DNA sequence: AACGTGATCCC
DNA sequence: TGGGATCACGT
């Protein structure tokens, strides 16, 4: 366990008491865009999802932590009273490297969900797709779900409530991929407005850059 | 039947 | 990893 405040500040042995059920917390969300969902036929590796705050020089992974609040009571001799303080501890932390998303073919969606039901994988008891119907299930975005069970020294177990990450969007899908600007006809405009700006983005069929005059016609 | 789009597969 | 070919299907 790691203490988030300096224990040396406690001049006598504190009495600790857990105030709440420990909670599972997503402390580093997955990067929401930039990864492609891969089909099984595309091979073993589906890539690895980085953390939302990841940079080239400082890579992070999606990370969860178990948090719990403790109450510490100690005697303050000079004030002659018992004072309590809350401190946040984190019990443990877990990062996930090399998470990738493997997508299921629409036709195999039914089977895939059934498989999950059979394995009892349904953290929110949502009956997997029962409410929306799989027809209009969004196949281009997912959330990661984390579950955790704690076992205390006395053998008691705590099943923590499952948590989900923010959504992750498929980079390959035209509907959710990041649009990259590859051409702009103007880079500034009047504060009064009325400047028409045409912006060409990725996912259009690329073509030779047209002349300034033919631009608009080509675009629309 | 041709075309357009998204899904899937291939390299 | 990313681009593109190919498939599937609706119009």
């Amino acid at each position: 366990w790691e203490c988030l405040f300096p224990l040396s500040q406690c001049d006598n042995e504190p009495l600790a008491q857990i105030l709440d059920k420990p909670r599972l917390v997503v402390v580093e969300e997955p990067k929401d865009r930039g990864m492609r969902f891969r089909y099984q036929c595309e091979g073993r590796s589906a890539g690895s999802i980085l953390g939302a705050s990841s940079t080239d020089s400082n890579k992070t992974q999606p990370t969860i932590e178990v948090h719990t609040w403790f109450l510490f009571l100690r005697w303050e001799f000079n004030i002659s009273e018992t004072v309590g303080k809350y401190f946040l501890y984190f019990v443990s932390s877990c990062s996930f490297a090399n998470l990738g998303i493997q997508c299921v073919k629409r036709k195999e969606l039914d089977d895939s969900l059934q498989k999950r039901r059979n394995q009892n994988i349904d953290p929110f008891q949502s009956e997997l797709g029962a409410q929306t119907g799989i027809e209009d299930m969004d196949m281009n975005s997912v959330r990661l779900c984390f579950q955790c069970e704690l076992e205390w020294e006395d053998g008691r177990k705590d099943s923590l409530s499952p948590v989900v990450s923010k959504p992750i969007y498929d980079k390959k899908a035209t509907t959710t991929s990041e649009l990259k600007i590859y051409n702009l006809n103007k880079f500034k405009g009047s504060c009064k407005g009325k400047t028409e700006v045409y912006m060409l983005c990725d996912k259009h069929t690329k073509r030779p850059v047209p002349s300034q005059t033919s631009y608009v016609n080509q675009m629309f």
Side-chain angles (χ1 to χ4, degrees):
Chain A
W1 292 17
E2 189 168 335
C3 186
L4 295 182
F5 79 105
L7 267 177
S8 58
Q9 280 179 8
C10 301
D11 38 21
N12 54 353
E13 189 67 22
L15 291 166
Q17 175 189 356
I18 294 184
L19 286 182
D20 236 341
K21 194 176 164 185
R23 282 192 313 133
L24 192 56
V25 181
V26 180
V27 293
E28 174 73 350
E29 293 283 348
K31 205 169 180 328
D32 61 352
R33 279 169 214 276
M35 280 292 300
R36 225 155 101 165
F37 296 2
R38 296 289 186 172
Y39 289 91
Q40 193 167 28
C41 67
E42 290 187 288
R44 46 307 66 125
S45 163
S48 47
I49 298 169
L50 294 169
S53 67
S54 193
T55 61
D56 284 343
S57 56
N58 188 17
K59 293 208 189 313
T60 64
Q61 280 86 231
T63 305
I64 54 171
E65 283 178 3
V66 176
H67 287 180
T68 189
W69 286 93
F70 280 78
L71 173 63
F72 284 88
L73 296 171
R74 68 189 172 105
W75 189 254
E76 292 271 355
F77 291 104
N78 48 350
I79 315 176
S80 296
E81 60 177 339
T82 308
V83 292
K85 282 191 173 182
Y86 299 87
F87 292 105
L88 179 65
Y89 266 67
F90 77 85
V91 178
S92 65
S93 157
C94 184
S95 297
F96 299 88
N98 304 116
L99 283 180
I101 294 169
Q102 190 174 80
C103 49
V104 171
K105 292 198 269 184
R106 258 216 131 81
K107 279 184 178 164
E108 292 164 11
L109 188 50
D110 238 341
D111 287 347
S112 176
L113 289 174
Q114 190 55 47
K115 204 174 285 175
R116 265 150 239 260
R117 287 188 203 101
N118 294 154
Q119 296 174 103
N120 238 340
I121 302 175
D122 190 4
F124 295 98
Q125 307 303 309
S126 65
E127 289 163 41
L128 293 171
Q131 65 290 78
T132 31
I134 61 172
E135 296 311 318
D136 30 45
M137 191 175 271
D138 180 4
M139 304 288 280
N140 298 134
S141 69
V142 294
R143 294 172 189 263
L144 305 178
C145 179
F146 301 99
Q147 287 180 283
C148 174
E149 186 175 74
L150 289 183
E151 187 171 342
W152 300 97
E153 285 163 354
D154 61 9
R156 277 186 308 118
K157 285 180 181 174
D158 264 334
S159 260
L160 308 189
S161 305
V163 289
V164 291
S165 72
K166 297 202 173 129
I168 302 169
Y169 303 97
D170 186 7
K171 186 187 182 191
K172 177 74 168 173
T174 47
T175 46
T176 53
S177 68
E178 218 161 28
L179 285 179
K180 287 217 176 77
I181 299 168
Y182 73 86
N183 224 325
L184 262 178
N185 68 335
K186 286 189 177 122
F187 294 86
K188 56 188 172 185
S190 161
C191 295
K192 295 178 188 160
K194 306 256 165 136
T195 309
E196 285 191 17
V197 178
Y198 297 94
M199 186 168 74
L200 299 186
C201 293
D202 239 357
K203 308 298 168 191
H204 279 283
T205 307
K206 290 186 183 171
R207 57 189 84 178
V209 180
S211 70
Q212 197 76 346
T213 46
S214 62
Y215 217 104
V216 177
N217 295 335
Q218 296 234 5
M219 176 75 190
F220 298 101

